[in-house]
Amino acid sequence: MSIRERLSGNEAVAIAMKQVEPDVLPAFPITPSTEIPQYYSNFVANGEVMTEFVPVESEHSAMSAAIGASAAGARTTTATSSCGLALMWEVLYLAASNRLPITMAVVNRALSGPININADHSDSMGARDSGWIQLYSENAQEAYDNYIQAVRIAEHPDVHLPVMVCQDGFITSHAVENLNLIETEKVKNFVGQYEPEYYLLNPEKSMSVGPYDSQHYYMEHKRLQAEAMIKSKAVIKQIAEEFEKISGRSYSFFEEYKLEDAEVAIVVLNSAAGTSKDAVDRLRAEGIKAGLLKIRMFRPFPEAEIREALKHLKAVAVMDRSEGFSAVGGPVCAEVKAAMYHSEDNAPMVINYIYGIGGRDVRVENIMEVYRELVKIVETGELGETYRYLSVREGVDNKDVEIVPEVSESESRSV
């Protein structure tokens, strides 16, 4: 019987971590993920878990410590956001290339600059090609469920890759909602004991971690890493099926909401999916056949499955909560367009919206505006501008924005 609770997304992830009880958790605080290690450090201090909590001097150090712990054979997790994830950049690649099954909660937040602490996906999207599996969460329930599944996914013998579980900063990380927890004993049985075959402290099977990889072997090792990412698709699906048996909640690579008979649809990640579902319901009441595809698994990218799900539509808007600075759109749209490349001749027309970056509010009315633009495209047959911004003040120039010069610490004290 599930446990009904009222929790924020950060609390939900911290409790999932507590139920899994990793061996090591190195962490450095950064808004808005700070609460996750903060809650967990209380569990450690109160003797509720036996985890070794390692406070470090930076996020780079947190991931470095996670790599060392995981390589030594410990089940390892951490959490970060925004510039903290960016500071880990170098060692993210080391964790993935060494095939270490680390799990990490990423609470999505804009990357500076200008300085901003609110939700967008520029942090995890910047790390999308680092070799980490990426799962995205619409709400606190999904963040909790995804984290528990992530442990099994990362440690599966066909995978052995790190996994980041993403949720939107403040929007879901700090907002409190009702959710259903699984009994701790069931969670522990689900993830099982971590018993790696190869690890540094195993005297029976010697190994090295982080050696120089010459041109004679580097490509082969990268190919093996890429194959593990490909194999993870089947593992993610299998583990979701097993998770449904203990939770009653079903997960796949993405969620289709009223998509089967839709004529227009949007593709979106994380919390804006809930807002978009409300928009779909309102438009359906008006007789507009609107639908939604919410991506849960962005790495590996479910290309063939997304192509199949979208091919019957007339027009699609892909929503990016990060700016790719490619001059043609954001990273999610680039992936979706690539997926649609091999569709039949009647593939849907695709446009891209950059939305909600820096924490800009996204209301139901804003999403309805996107759908109405799609309807207009279908009616006129004219695609128009494919690279658009949603809810932005047009015509704002640098001269219209007051730039406040940076003030040094000594100058601020004198003021």
Side-chain angles (χ1 to χ4, degrees):
M1 184 176 179
S2 62
I3 304 161
R4 190 73 167 166
E5 271 288 3
R6 294 185 300 275
L7 299 169
S8 69
N10 279 347
E11 288 177 297
V13 170
I15 288 174
M17 289 180 175
K18 177 184 177 184
Q19 292 179 315
V20 171
E21 195 171 351
D23 299 309
V24 180
L25 195 160
F28 188 83
I30 183 169
T31 302
S33 68
T34 300
E35 287 183 331
I36 296 174
Q38 178 184 338
Y39 288 129
Y40 204 88
S41 66
N42 285 332
F43 301 149
V44 174
N46 294 338
E48 297 175 59
V49 292
M50 296 300 293
T51 304
E52 185 71 30
F53 183 84
V54 186
V56 292
E57 67 272 20
S58 74
E59 292 85 358
H60 186 286
S61 300
M63 184 50 59
S64 297
I67 288 170
S70 184
R75 177 177 275 165
T76 308
T77 193
T78 187
T80 195
S81 295
S82 183
C83 304
L85 184 62
L87 189 55
M88 292 179 177
W89 232 254
E90 174 190 8
V91 276
L92 289 180
Y93 286 83
L94 294 177
S97 62
N98 281 297
R99 308 289 298 278
L100 300 173
I102 300 164
T103 53
M104 176 164 60
V106 174
V107 183
N108 289 118
R109 173 191 137 185
L111 278 172
S112 300
I115 294 172
N116 183 290
I117 64 165
N118 299 307
D120 73 28
H121 302 159
S122 52
D123 48 6
S124 59
M125 282 297 157
R128 67 189 181 277
D129 294 331
S130 60
W132 284 62
I133 292 168
Q134 290 189 339
L135 302 178
Y136 286 81
S137 316
E138 178 184 337
N139 48 43
Q141 184 71 70
E142 290 191 6
Y144 170 83
D145 292 347
N146 280 337
Y147 177 80
I148 293 170
Q149 293 176 71
V151 175
R152 282 280 308 279
I153 293 165
E155 294 174 1
H156 193 282
D158 288 344
V159 180
H160 260 266
L161 290 173
V163 182
M164 60 178 72
V165 175
C166 306
Q167 63 169 315
D168 284 343
F170 297 107
I171 298 170
T172 60
S173 67
H174 284 62
V176 175
E177 59 184 88
N178 292 322
L179 69 160
N180 293 306
L181 303 179
I182 305 167
E183 296 91 334
T184 297
E185 195 61 33
K186 285 185 179 179
V187 173
K188 288 192 181 301
N189 289 337
F190 180 78
V191 298
Q193 290 291 324
Y194 179 46
E195 297 178 351
E197 183 178 1
Y198 295 95
Y199 55 98
L200 287 172
L201 299 182
N202 182 0
E204 304 300 322
K205 295 183 178 180
S206 60
M207 62 177 286
S208 61
V209 175
Y212 176 70
D213 204 357
S214 73
Q215 69 271 28
H216 303 295
Y217 295 103
Y218 185 86
M219 283 188 66
E220 285 74 19
H221 289 150
K222 285 299 172 186
R223 174 64 182 273
L224 290 170
Q225 190 181 338
E227 287 180 355
M229 184 65 77
I230 293 168
K231 289 179 180 178
S232 72
K233 285 182 63 178
V235 173
I236 290 167
K237 186 175 182 180
Q238 170 201 327
I239 289 172
E241 291 170 356
E242 294 179 28
F243 184 79
E244 185 176 5
K245 293 176 182 177
I246 68 165
S247 68
R249 295 184 289 275
S250 176
Y251 287 92
S252 186
F253 302 151
F254 48 80
E255 178 187 346
E256 299 174 62
Y257 186 74
K258 300 187 178 179
L259 193 64
E260 186 175 348
D261 66 337
E263 295 181 352
V264 296
I266 68 171
V267 178
V268 71
L269 288 75
N270 271 13
S271 64
T275 307
S276 302
K277 289 172 185 176
D278 287 343
V280 168
D281 292 342
R282 291 193 195 181
L283 291 165
R284 286 278 178 164
E286 296 178 16
I288 297 172
K289 291 186 175 181
L292 167 74
L293 188 147
K294 179 190 74 180
I295 295 176
R296 170 187 178 239
M297 180 187 78
F298 190 72
R299 283 291 182 271
F301 189 75
E303 180 187 59
E305 294 82 0
I306 283 181
R307 180 167 61 247
E308 182 66 24
L310 299 179
K311 69 179 184 181
H312 68 285
L313 296 161
K314 295 179 180 179
V316 174
V318 182
M319 311 297 290
D320 268 288
R321 203 163 197 156
S322 62
E323 174 56 87
F325 300 111
S326 65
V328 293
V332 180
C333 188
E335 300 279 1
V336 172
K337 282 185 175 179
M340 302 309 295
Y341 181 78
H342 295 293
S343 291
E344 295 114 1
D345 293 336
N346 61 345
M349 295 180 282
V350 180
I351 61 173
N352 184 205
Y353 275 95
I354 309 297
Y355 79 101
I357 56 176
R360 179 66 57 90
D361 284 342
V362 183
R363 300 178 298 161
V364 175
E365 291 77 12
N366 303 133
I367 300 297
M368 291 177 71
E369 177 187 332
V370 173
Y371 279 108
R372 297 195 193 284
E373 283 296 310
L374 291 174
V375 171
K376 189 186 301 183
I377 288 169
V378 172
E379 290 173 347
T380 63
E382 296 179 5
L383 192 58
E385 177 58 61
T386 60
Y387 173 26
R388 309 180 182 200
Y389 265 67
L390 180 64
S391 304
V392 69
R393 294 189 295 277
E394 300 289 355
V396 176
D397 201 342
N398 283 338
K399 66 179 182 294
D400 300 318
V401 181
E402 181 184 1
I403 305 297
V404 180
E406 292 188 9
V407 180
S408 69
E409 186 179 355
S410 60
E411 289 173 323
S412 66
R413 281 198 292 266
S414 66
V415 172

